[in-house]
Amino acid sequence: MAEIRLTNTLTRTKEVFTPIDPKNVRMYVCGPTVYDRAHLGNARPVVVFDVLYRLLRHVHGAEHVTYVRNFTDVDDKINARAARDGRDIRAITDETIGWYHEDMDALGTLRPDVEPRATEHIGQMIAMIEGLVAAGHAYEAEGHVLFAVESYAGYGRLSGRSVEDMIAGARVEVAPYKRNPMDFVLWKPSDEGLPGWESPWGRGRPGWHIECSAMAKELLGESFDIHGGGNDLMFPHHENEIAQSCCAAPGAEFARVWLHNEMLQVEGKKMSKSLGNF
């Protein structure tokens, strides 16, 4: 069998890839937030992880590889787009997913085996949050549920930063109800004009980070082989995923190998919608 070597962001070393179960190789890659058309930079992780997906299928057999890439279809950017255009949120997300599929198909990439939508896994997110609260890793404050970063000793390992450095360098949401500035939202309240689901903490919607943890656990298990995405997601998204997932399933690895692609650069800056350089 051919040897695959991968540079693991978590260990900062190039390692021989040894799957947990060679008959069930599992990979999760963070997908798009579906509020607008994808640009060329959004296609980079699609192409990068398509190459890896094909290689894994070649080495281990197509029937032994599961590739999951999610759609984030509950998000404040989507809500703002719906309010601006006076359109139904589901209509916007369905349309955007259709565009995304057309564009990525045109690049010749394979579609993942599973493409879960966040809105279809709210129950799993609520269950995970309940477990974190019960275990003392999360707390409720003013209708929000927040993850207590200080409760997880390994926080910062992926990005290689201390909590103090992260506070100094991050755009941390200032909120008086946080015990620690780095604590992040797992659940937040929704008023009548926003999407919401009933929960033990009232009607609300999930924070961004809990989505991927809940979907990865549901579809790939508490421990799986590879988690990928752009290096702009390393902190805080992937760092937060590790913290909540490891605290929700003590003893499990969550993802064994972490892979990050670089950003597509335009005149030395990341291509992004916010900069308008796409």
Side-chain angles (χ1 to χ4, degrees), residues 180-209:
N180 181 311
M182 288 304 300
D183 292 350
F184 57 88
V185 172
L186 300 173
W187 189 263
K188 52 190 174 183
S190 292
D191 61 30
E192 287 304 315
L194 293 171
W197 293 262
E198 293 304 321
S199 79
W201 317 284
R203 184 178 180 276
R205 60 196 191 280
W208 175 33
H209 313 298

Side-chain angles (χ1 to χ4, degrees), residues 41 43-45 48-49 229-232 259-265 270:
R44 184 163 185 169
V48 167
F49 290 101
N231 65 2
D232 58 334
L259 300 177
H260 292 91
N261 63 272
E262 248 296 352
M263 296 294 98
L264 193 62
Q265 303 287 309
K270 165 189 163 184

Side-chain angles (χ1 to χ4, degrees), residues 1 8 38 75 102 106 135 143 168-169 194 199 201 235 251 266:
M1 183 178 290
N8 188 349
D75 182 86
E102 289 174 6
L194 293 171
S199 79
W201 317 284
F235 177 81
V266 180

